[in-house]
Amino acid sequence: MGLFSRGSGQQVSEQQVLAALSKVQEPELGGDLVSRRMIKNVKIDGGTVSFAVELTTPACPLKDQIRSEVEAAVRALPGVSDVQVEFTANVRHHAGIPEQAAIPGVANVIAVAAGKGGVGKSTVAANLAVALSQEGASVGLLDADVFGPSMPLMFGVRGQPGAVTGEDGQAVMVPLEGHGIKLMSVGFMVEEGQPVIWRGPMVSQLLRQFLYQVAWAPLDYLIIDMPPGTGDIALTLAQSLPLTGALIVTTPQQVATIDVVRAMEMFKKVNVPLIGIIENMAYFLAPDTGARYDIFGSGGAARIAAQQGLPLLGQVPLGMAVRAGGDSGTPAVISDAPDAYAEVFRGVARQLAARISVMKYAGA
């Protein structure tokens, strides 16, 4: 416990610092930071008070608000001349995952799904994975779209996974890495351009190996790029994966949102929580005039979100740099091109991480 005094004779103690911080509320989860045990390592050195705030995710979208409020609360104490705040994160395991199904060392498993193909589901999955990593999270991505694997191209990664001996003495695959993301895809197992002609049981067995016989740990988030639609493989995966929840991707047009409802009903029937909806290709901004064009209509995702009682986590515009990034193996979120919409993807990633944290505390 530290004490200091200044010329005025005023003193501040660790108890006073904690008392001040106990008046700062966690903006999304509720409750004060001290009661939630989010304040760590309080130190007092002369007029300087330093401490860490342990967030539920490194991608917290309200980090700046929390910093401002804790600094103001402590700086108001007599004798404090400087406040130094460090942010750490403890991404908790999702309580809804049965212990026997949990993937060792993986805190959250998130399905990125769509009711139909062609809505940019894989593009969204790839960019969200990189965006979460940019925020400081450890992230893996499993390409479960076995008949249309696209992650090797989108990340510019080629080769075959290696193998090591796990703690139980069994061989496990070592995922390849691209842009800081651990990757596994059937695309690494077959020659480029060759079709995958497998029946459902073979696919399910392979994906189970990709989940439980791969050295994923440690991960805060494992993103699963689901196969499109609600067919047998998608249903089997939804039933068998240890999912924290499902993130639904759609475009604004009605022909896409109709299928989105079917996909959401599939997840509901197998008791997988729905995290939220992302509207991809929401609109197009002409680079020469700045004019907005609603190429696929407008408002479709917002209507579905309102009907289903789910948050619309973000709207990603249609951009040529987004498409180019997927073709070149450099996800758009890494680019600084205006029509890569990197900050939009990062904003969606923060909302996703925050929503998962809230769902955990709500017992979802």
Side-chain angles (χ1 to χ4, degrees):
M1 188 159 315
L3 297 175
F4 69 81
S5 60
R6 301 180 70 186
S8 62
Q10 294 173 321
Q11 294 181 323
V12 69
S13 67
E14 182 175 329
Q15 290 98 324
Q16 289 174 305
V17 171
L18 293 175
L21 292 172
S22 69
K23 298 176 183 177
V24 179
Q25 300 292 301
E26 210 294 334
E28 288 186 307
L29 304 176
D32 69 86
L33 301 184
V34 176
S35 296
R36 285 198 170 278
R37 300 182 180 179
M38 296 174 67
I39 303 300
K40 308 289 184 181
N41 198 28
V42 176
K43 293 181 180 178
I44 299 169
D45 181 13
T48 300
V49 176
S50 63
F51 54 90
V53 179
E54 185 179 82
L55 303 171
T56 57
T57 171
C60 176
L62 299 175
K63 188 184 297 184
D64 290 341
Q65 176 183 336
I66 294 173
R67 179 189 297 275
S68 176
E69 292 183 3
V70 297
E71 286 183 350
V74 175
R75 204 177 287 275
L77 293 171
V80 175
S81 59
D82 186 31
V83 180
Q84 298 177 357
V85 183
E86 175 189 6
F87 284 103
T88 62
N90 179 17
V91 180
R92 302 183 184 183
H93 283 67
H94 183 62
I97 298 177
E99 193 62 33
Q100 66 272 19
I103 303 171
V106 177
N108 295 281
V109 184
I110 303 164
V112 178
K116 61 181 299 175
V119 299
K121 167 185 57 64
S122 296
T123 297
V124 169
N127 281 284
L128 288 185
V130 176
L132 287 168
S133 177
Q134 289 176 335
E135 295 292 326
S138 53
V139 185
L141 198 162
L142 169 57
D143 187 354
D145 191 356
V146 172
F147 297 114
S150 54
M151 292 307 163
L153 173 64
M154 288 188 169
F155 280 83
V157 175
R158 295 290 184 270
Q160 290 192 339
V164 296
T165 302
E167 295 180 359
D168 59 358
Q170 301 296 314
V172 294
M173 289 180 282
V174 179
L176 300 179
E177 292 198 22
H179 304 294
I181 308 300
K182 294 181 179 179
L183 299 168
M184 186 58 66
S185 171
V186 71
F188 298 139
M189 307 292 188
V190 298
E191 291 186 18
E192 188 172 353
Q194 293 300 307
V196 178
I197 308 175
W198 294 344
R199 295 190 181 276
M202 293 178 62
V203 173
S204 297
Q205 181 180 1
L206 174 70
L207 291 175
R208 187 167 182 84
Q209 289 179 318
F210 280 177
L211 285 169
Y212 296 102
Q213 296 179 23
V214 170
W216 290 114
L219 288 183
D220 295 321
Y221 303 100
L222 176 60
I223 307 294
I224 310 292
D225 181 25
M226 295 283 286
T230 57
D232 178 64
I233 294 176
L235 178 60
T236 300
L237 285 172
Q239 288 177 312
S240 59
L241 289 173
L243 293 174
T244 302
L247 179 66
I248 307 299
V249 180
T250 186
T251 55
Q253 65 195 109
Q254 186 174 359
V255 71
T257 57
I258 288 175
D259 290 330
V260 159
V261 174
R262 296 190 182 103
M264 290 191 289
E265 290 302 318
M266 177 190 73
F267 285 111
K268 289 179 183 178
K269 287 181 179 179
V270 294
N271 298 316
V272 173
L274 295 172
I275 299 171
I277 299 174
I278 295 176
E279 188 173 71
N280 191 35
M281 297 183 272
Y283 53 87
F284 174 72
L285 295 177
D288 51 349
T289 66
R292 170 171 167 159
Y293 297 91
D294 295 324
I295 295 175
F296 296 105
S298 64
R303 287 191 294 270
I304 295 298
Q307 292 169 7
Q308 297 288 326
L310 291 172
L312 176 59
L313 299 180
Q315 296 175 293
V316 181
L318 179 64
M320 290 184 287
V322 177
R323 188 275 309 160
D327 289 345
S328 67
T330 305
V333 74
I334 299 173
S335 172
D336 58 2
D339 63 343
Y341 301 112
E343 191 52 44
V344 175
F345 280 115
R346 283 192 282 269
V348 173
R350 296 183 195 113
Q351 294 300 321
L352 169 64
R355 170 71 173 156
I356 291 170
S357 295
V358 171
M359 287 170 60
K360 289 181 182 182
Y361 281 97

